[in-house]
Amino acid sequence: IVMAVQTAATTPGVILAMLEMDKQEMPFDLSSMMEIFNEKYAIGCYIAYCMICLAVFIPWYYKQFVKKNPDVAYKKALGIKPVILAVSVLVSFYFVISGVLVIADKVIPSVMENYYELMRVSSLGTNMLITVIYGYLLAPVTEELCFRGLMFGMLERSNIHYMLILFIQGLMFGIMHMNLVQGVYAFLLGVVLGYLRYKYKTVILTIGAHIIFNFFGMSVELFMENRGITATQKLILAAIGMVLAVVLIAVVAKDKSSYLKGSERTPANA
């Protein structure tokens, strides 16, 4: 559904970009077309995609997994300990991914060149306020409602093992990004977020964690570039992040508290 809505929302912008190329009598080139699309039309298309998804997903999710299953102990699940752990896991994971990309630059340079070029032509224009609203708020909320909300909840209701649920929703989250490099780390991110959803029973926590991850990916990455952080320093940060991520996930895994009201119950929580 997400990919269908995304395609429908971006198609008018792509058509307008192609018409503009034709008007300027430019020879058709995919890279040039994407640059025009991203400079003038992308952010509007992506915001439209998010608004359509949210208009569908919020009432659907509320009706199926909140109203019918008001079992989550929200005060406990959104308490200081779960929030600190979730944020810390995602910050650590960000630095791990940053280091892995440094290694990939050396191991598969041609693949990474294509990835960086794709990221360059996929930039969302120069309006920073709108880009921030989309990247920090609309996109994380939309993706979490879809993958850790609706998809996770429906898979959970089918009574399959939670490890398989983590794999399926993470895989679909990776595929949605539609490029190899971003797809791989989006899959891993989806698994981590899915595990937090499994342990703490609420998509609200994963929305917050996803926003933090996007903040680091957009702002902290730019800060490190401006500060001249070297590849070696990124690898050191990645090693520290890996140790912290393993320790923190172990702490989450050992948390035996029930985040449901009353006794532990079957699936489908908020």
Side-chain angles (χ1 to χ4, degrees):
I1 294 174
V2 171
M3 294 180 72
V5 174
Q6 191 175 55
T7 301
T10 54
T11 297
V14 171
I15 293 172
L16 287 171
M18 293 174 67
L19 289 173
E20 186 160 332
M21 289 183 70
D22 184 62
K23 184 178 180 180
Q24 296 179 18
E25 298 183 351
M26 296 171 59
F28 180 79
D29 172 73
L30 183 60
S31 179
S32 300
M33 187 272 289
M34 287 301 297
E35 286 186 4
I36 294 172
F37 170 75
N38 287 305
E39 182 181 347
K40 295 189 175 182
Y41 308 112
I43 194 67
C45 291
Y46 292 146
I47 288 176
Y49 141 72
C50 285
M51 298 307 292
I52 294 169
C53 285
L54 291 174
V56 175
F57 292 161
I58 289 175
W60 185 6
Y61 178 74
Y62 178 79
K63 182 178 179 181
Q64 292 297 317
F65 299 104
V66 177
K67 189 175 181 180
K68 289 185 178 180
N69 300 280
D71 298 335
V72 178
Y74 285 105
K75 288 185 179 180
K76 189 175 180 181
L78 299 174
I80 294 175
K81 180 182 176 182
V83 169
I84 290 176
L85 283 172
V87 169
S88 300
V89 167
L90 267 293
V91 170
S92 301
F93 183 74
Y94 162 77
F95 286 110
V96 172
I97 294 300
S98 180
V100 169
L101 292 178
V102 169
I103 296 171
D105 280 337
K106 305 296 182 183
V107 178
I108 47 173
S110 60
V111 174
M112 293 305 294
E113 284 177 13
N114 291 335
Y115 166 70
Y116 291 130
E117 175 62 17
L118 179 63
M119 291 298 99
R120 185 187 68 79
V121 300
S122 298
S123 60
L124 297 177
T126 56
N127 191 320
M128 285 305 299
L129 176 61
I130 296 177
T131 300
V132 165
I133 291 172
Y134 172 76
Y136 290 175
L137 183 62
L138 292 177
V141 173
T142 300
E143 291 168 358
E144 289 308 305
L145 279 174
C146 176
F147 294 97
R148 263 63 64 185
L150 290 165
M151 183 177 292
F152 193 104
M154 288 186 283
L155 289 170
E156 198 173 30
R157 280 181 172 174
S158 68
N159 292 319
I160 62 177
H161 195 277
Y162 83 91
M163 292 293 285
L164 186 56
I165 295 175
L166 297 184
F167 176 79
I168 293 172
Q169 57 86 36
L171 179 64
M172 296 306 295
F173 185 54
I175 290 172
M176 187 204 71
H177 287 79
M178 294 187 290
N179 73 78
L180 178 62
V181 175
Q182 196 175 15
V184 169
Y185 71 71
F187 164 71
L188 297 174
L189 174 63
V191 171
V192 171
L193 289 168
Y195 188 65
L196 293 173
R197 161 67 176 80
Y198 166 73
K199 287 296 292 186
Y200 296 117
K201 311 301 179 187
T202 173
V203 75
I204 297 173
L205 192 66
T206 67
I207 288 172
H210 195 154
I211 289 171
I212 294 296
F213 184 86
N214 279 17
F215 169 77
F216 271 74
M218 295 171 69
S219 298
V220 176
E221 185 68 28
L222 183 61
F223 172 79
M224 290 198 296
E225 287 180 9
N226 291 338
R227 296 288 294 180
I229 301 297
T230 65
T232 301
Q233 290 170 325
K234 285 186 176 182
L235 289 175
I236 293 171
L237 289 172
I240 296 170
M242 176 66 78
V243 173
L244 287 175
V246 170
V247 171
L248 290 165
I249 289 173
V251 173
V252 173
K254 288 182 179 180
D255 185 355
K256 302 301 181 184
S257 302
S258 169
Y259 290 91
L260 299 179
K261 294 177 181 176
S263 59
E264 194 76 50
R265 304 177 201 183
T266 21
N269 334 89

